[in-house]
Amino acid sequence: MCGIVGYVGRENCTDVLIDALSKLEYRGYDSAGIAVFENGKIRVEKAKGRLQNLDEKMNLEGRPFGNCGIGHTRWATHGEPSHINSHPHSGRRVTLVHNGIIENYMELKAFLEGKGYHFESQTDTETVAKLIDYYYQDDPLEALNKALPQVRGAYALAILFEGFPDRLYAVRKESPLIVGLGCGGENFVASDIPAILKYTNRYYLLEQDEVALVTAGQVVVTDLAGNPIEKQEQVADWDIDAAEKGGFAHFMLKEIHEQPKAFRNTISPRIRDGAIQFENGLDDVLRAAKRLHVVACGTAMHAGIVGKYLIESLARVPVDVDLASEFRYRNPILEKEDLAVIISQSGETADTLAALRLAKSQGIRTLAIVNVVGSSIAREADYVLYTWAGPEIAVASTKAYTVQLAVMYLLAFQLGRLRGQLDEAAYANYLTELMQTPEKIEKLLSQSGAIANLAVDYREAQNMFFIGRGLDYALSQEGSLKLKEISYIYSEAYAAGELKHGTISLIVEGIPVVALATQRDLLEKMISNVREVRARGAKVLLFCFEGTQVSADLANHVIYLPQGSDLFAPLLSIVPLQLFAYHIAEQRGCDVDKPRNLAKSVTVE
Ligand code: AGP
């Protein structure tokens, strides 16, 4: 999604803005632009495509020079990716960059055309720039106060006003925005922490309709009417290395390898004296909940599906899993004693945030499982369990998924114990095995080279199937998403027992089928399903535990998981599945960290 940066200080802001924007490239974008105060006038530079295009264009034409400016990476929503549609957008004396969507932009455009404004782009953003400009006499805050109440939708804005070359303004509603507090003589604005981490880890989180007036020497936050607001300084504990590749070819590969650490960081602080200790009195809520509604998008929703299997089987508490984009519009039945469990890496996904708000508006309690500290979902939920994966830069989620699973296991064990479904011995055994998981993941990571070799045999595929039963089916949905989003091979996850009800007609000679067969009580049935696809010519990559008897003709390749109980298989199988997707995509020459059309944080519907 779009990224915003702003800088005011002693440095030449063009360099700072480009550098900061480069840290937001992972979010996904298709054009970039900056606006800089140069000799008191606002100079705008834009280019379609990668940030590098903008940088090279400015090198040819002469780089803007100034100490105050704003920058943007755009992920097209209204209007194609093009020079004209790129941000910044301007009125006569106002220039801004915008994240979010303006819902009533057609109405505003008609109003402004009536006032003599001429529009160049197809964007919704240009209407806000011109609307603020329309109200701008000599007082920026007054202009914002008159314009923004007329705007419906979501916005994070960084704004330059002609006449004030040493300041920038930032304001937000729904879309996130932070103000970075520099170490004397400079300050920043950004939509995301990694953009400013090289310069500072101290920041203010702007709340709805708060306005920040940012100069080199100070940051003043007010409401739209100008009433001062005292802000609490936040400190990001992500270090700068976390946002660098650290010798790996891609962020995705680095993040796959960070999973043992992320897993330990997520579970260790919550297991003390042989028991799970959740923060904030969550046990009482878990004890009381009659039904759980897990709501999320994409990979996070897949973690919820695994969670459903775990919680229903260990705690006998019913769990519904919904895609947030469906949940919010399907008028779900929510009872007073229910608990909504909202899962999100970014904590900013628009549909997931809306689902959380819907659950709250219906009076049910909400628990957020979130990776980004201080994100909107984390702040608005009644209870939060943070996953401690550190920043995830690659668009394809890997370590964030694994730690979401880790929290699902903790929840299932704790619910099982609190509901009297798990006795002390079983509970203790599960916790022991959970704590052994990072070592097993390390063992699987050492197979990366072997999986790269195996990927050669699968990388030319046009279609692929992932099949499994029970927890394997739950996990296969994530394995399939990983492959398709980064390699562009069409793939589908199927419950192995369901294949015969239609989809087996697609199984033809040579089609790859990734068969997960880790659930021992379902093994015979699963093997029969594998035989069915083998009989039709499928090329089978089988996953099973070490020690499973596999006859030579059952599969073309086998990936063995370190010994463990069936229940823990998803935490292990996911690693070779991620590596499989990664190596195939890399060998196909795909842009692994920034797959086409995708954005890291989906802040629009
Ligand atoms: C998958 O690799 C994606 N990154 C995507 O499906 C993601 O999980 C989804 O957009 C939800 O994002 P969130 O966890 O930040 O809410």
Side-chain angles (χ1 to χ4, degrees):
M1 290 280 114
C2 308
I4 287 180
V5 298
Y7 174 79
V8 50
R10 291 192 212 98
E11 303 295 321
N12 177 13
C13 73
T14 298
D15 299 337
V16 179
L17 293 174
I18 295 293
D19 175 64
L21 284 176
S22 74
K23 302 296 187 305
L24 296 183
E25 282 191 288
Y26 76 95
R27 291 167 66 105
Y29 70 104
D30 38 49
S31 61
I34 62 169
V36 173
F37 267 114
E38 195 175 51
N39 302 322
K41 288 277 167 214
I42 300 171
R43 176 173 159 194
V44 174
E45 292 290 343
K46 313 172 174 191
K48 186 181 161 188
R50 293 282 187 226
L51 191 57
Q52 203 184 340
N53 300 354
L54 173 67
D55 208 31
E56 285 167 4
K57 179 172 171 263
M58 293 191 301
N59 281 342
L60 284 176
E61 293 171 0
R63 294 171 84 77
F65 191 88
N67 304 108
C68 178
I70 52 178
H72 192 261
T73 44
R74 173 176 187 255
W75 188 83
T77 56
H78 294 61
E80 57 174 2
S82 66
H83 176 93
I84 231 48
N85 287 333
S86 313
H87 298 210
H89 288 284
S90 303
R92 294 173 185 122
R93 297 198 301 145
V94 173
T95 294
L96 58 75
V97 292
H98 165 225
N99 284 2
I101 285 185
I102 307 303
E103 284 162 9
N104 59 336
Y105 79 104
M106 292 301 285
E107 200 181 288
L108 295 173
K109 192 171 173 183
F111 167 76
L112 289 159
E113 280 172 338
K115 302 289 178 194
Y117 280 93
H118 168 71
F119 283 80
E120 291 180 338
S121 75
Q122 300 153 294
T123 65
D124 51 341
T125 301
E126 195 181 352
T127 58
V128 196
K130 290 189 161 56
L131 187 70
I132 296 171
D133 185 82
Y134 172 70
Y135 289 111
Y136 179 45
Q137 304 295 329
D138 292 310
D139 184 345
L141 191 60
E142 185 186 77
L144 294 175
N145 193 25
K146 286 184 174 156
L148 293 179
Q150 292 186 36
V151 176
R152 275 203 316 276
Y155 52 77
L157 303 169
I159 316 165
L160 302 179
F161 288 88
E162 251 183 47
F164 295 94
D166 56 355
R167 57 168 87 166
L168 50 95
Y169 283 81
V171 59
R172 71 163 282 247
K173 185 171 156 203
E174 307 301 343
S175 299
L177 200 59
I178 60 170
V179 180
L181 307 171
C183 308
E186 60 180 7
N187 286 306
F188 304 82
V189 171
S191 50
D192 209 352
I193 295 166
I196 56 165
L197 217 46
K198 180 171 157 188
Y199 307 95
T200 181
N201 63 349
R202 300 183 307 123
Y203 63 97
Y204 291 151
L205 268 170
L206 286 187
E207 300 291 346
Q208 301 285 68
D209 282 326
E210 286 182 353
V211 185
L213 188 179
V214 186
T215 62
Q218 65 171 346
V219 176
V220 177
V221 180
T222 65
D223 64 13
L224 282 170
N227 300 307
I229 294 172
E230 197 160 326
K231 297 296 291 180
Q232 177 120 31
E233 186 179 307
Q234 311 284 325
V235 179
D237 61 1
W238 296 354
D239 62 37
I240 181 70
D241 294 346
E244 304 289 340
K245 282 188 206 149
F248 286 90
H250 295 97
F251 280 111
M252 181 179 176
L253 190 60
K254 175 182 175 240
E255 287 159 6
I256 290 172
H257 280 81
E258 284 171 346
Q259 291 180 112
K261 182 176 170 213
F263 198 92
R264 285 191 186 99
N265 287 348
T266 301
I267 62 163
S268 301
R270 298 185 170 117
I271 302 177
R272 285 197 303 275
D273 305 324
I276 296 165
Q277 314 270 340
F278 282 133
E279 40 276 52
N280 309 329
L282 191 59
D283 281 358
D284 292 339
V285 179
L286 296 179
R287 216 176 265 116
K290 289 237 165 65
R291 175 178 288 273
L292 266 48
H293 300 271
V294 178
V295 191
C297 299
T299 290
M301 195 277 292
H302 291 157
I305 295 175
V306 174
K308 173 185 170 73
Y309 278 74
L310 297 172
I311 293 167
E312 290 192 341
S313 106
L314 296 182
R316 312 303 297 157
V317 178
V319 181
D320 292 342
V321 183
D322 267 279
L323 289 165
S325 53
E326 290 298 312
F327 179 84
R328 60 183 293 195
Y329 294 118
R330 77 169 174 80
N331 197 9
I333 300 168
L334 305 175
E335 308 280 353
K336 210 163 100 298
E337 301 83 5
D338 293 354
L339 174 68
V341 180
I342 309 292
I343 311 178
S344 175
Q345 187 284 128
S346 62
E348 300 294 350
T349 302
D351 282 320
T352 312
L353 181 58
L356 165 75
R357 289 178 179 161
L358 173 74
K360 286 190 80 170
S361 73
Q362 302 218 356
I364 73 163
R365 273 172 296 200
T366 54
L367 163 65
I369 297 168
V370 177
N371 195 43
V372 177
V373 175
S375 55
S376 304
I377 290 174
R379 282 182 292 139
E380 292 190 28
D382 301 317
Y383 301 87
V384 187
L385 288 175
Y386 281 113
T387 53
W388 298 111
E392 191 179 65
I393 305 291
V395 164
S397 194
T398 54
K399 60 177 181 173
Y401 174 74
T402 307
V403 292
Q404 285 161 356
L405 288 190
V407 175
M408 288 291 130
Y409 278 81
L410 290 175
L411 278 177
F413 299 153
Q414 194 70 341
L415 274 161
R417 186 192 195 198
L418 295 171
R419 302 306 186 93
Q421 295 290 330
L422 277 186
D423 62 31
E424 290 302 318
Y427 181 78
N429 287 341
Y430 283 143
L431 288 190
T432 305
E433 192 159 348
L434 192 71
M435 289 188 287
Q436 290 163 349
T437 300
E439 272 168 52
K440 295 180 187 173
I441 294 178
E442 270 152 12
K443 211 167 154 191
L444 287 160
L445 289 170
S446 69
Q447 293 182 26
S448 184
I451 294 171
N453 292 338
L454 185 147
V456 175
D457 275 13
Y458 294 84
R459 68 185 182 201
E460 304 300 337
Q462 290 184 348
N463 306 292
M464 216 181 283
F465 285 91
F466 289 71
I467 61 171
R469 285 171 173 265
L471 278 169
D472 283 338
Y473 170 52
L475 183 75
S476 67
Q477 300 176 52
E478 177 58 11
S480 169
L481 175 65
K482 232 41 346 153
L483 180 78
K484 75 179 113 182
E485 71 177 322
I486 59 170
S487 73
Y488 315 141
I489 294 174
Y490 176 76
S491 82
E492 196 168 356
Y494 239 79
E498 180 65 14
L499 267 185
K500 296 197 260 307
H501 299 282
T503 305
I504 203 161
S505 65
L506 295 172
I507 303 293
V508 291
E509 189 64 35
I511 196 162
V513 174
V514 178
L516 306 182
T518 69
Q519 302 300 294
R520 292 172 178 96
D521 54 346
L522 296 168
L523 193 60
E524 284 178 7
K525 293 185 196 312
M526 186 61 201
I527 287 179
S528 304
N529 297 137
V530 176
R531 291 220 176 276
E532 286 158 10
V533 296
R534 282 290 281 163
R536 285 155 184 85
K539 178 155 70 175
V540 171
L541 169 60
L542 188 77
F543 282 50
C544 57
F545 278 112
E546 281 165 0
T548 309
Q549 296 299 320
V550 178
S551 63
D553 62 340
L554 187 66
N556 301 71
H557 302 96
V558 184
I559 289 181
Y560 288 103
L561 308 176
Q563 270 300 351
S565 36
D566 301 8
L567 192 78
F568 290 85
L571 294 170
L572 306 180
S573 301
I574 188 58
V575 177
L577 283 174
Q578 292 165 344
L579 288 168
F580 181 65
Y582 169 79
H583 287 299
I584 287 182
E586 195 266 331
Q587 290 170 20
R588 284 165 70 98
C590 300
D591 191 348
V592 175
D593 283 338
K594 296 189 279 278
R596 69 181 174 220
N597 304 336
L598 288 178
K600 181 65 183 165
S601 176
V602 184
T603 48
V604 295
E605 271 196 60

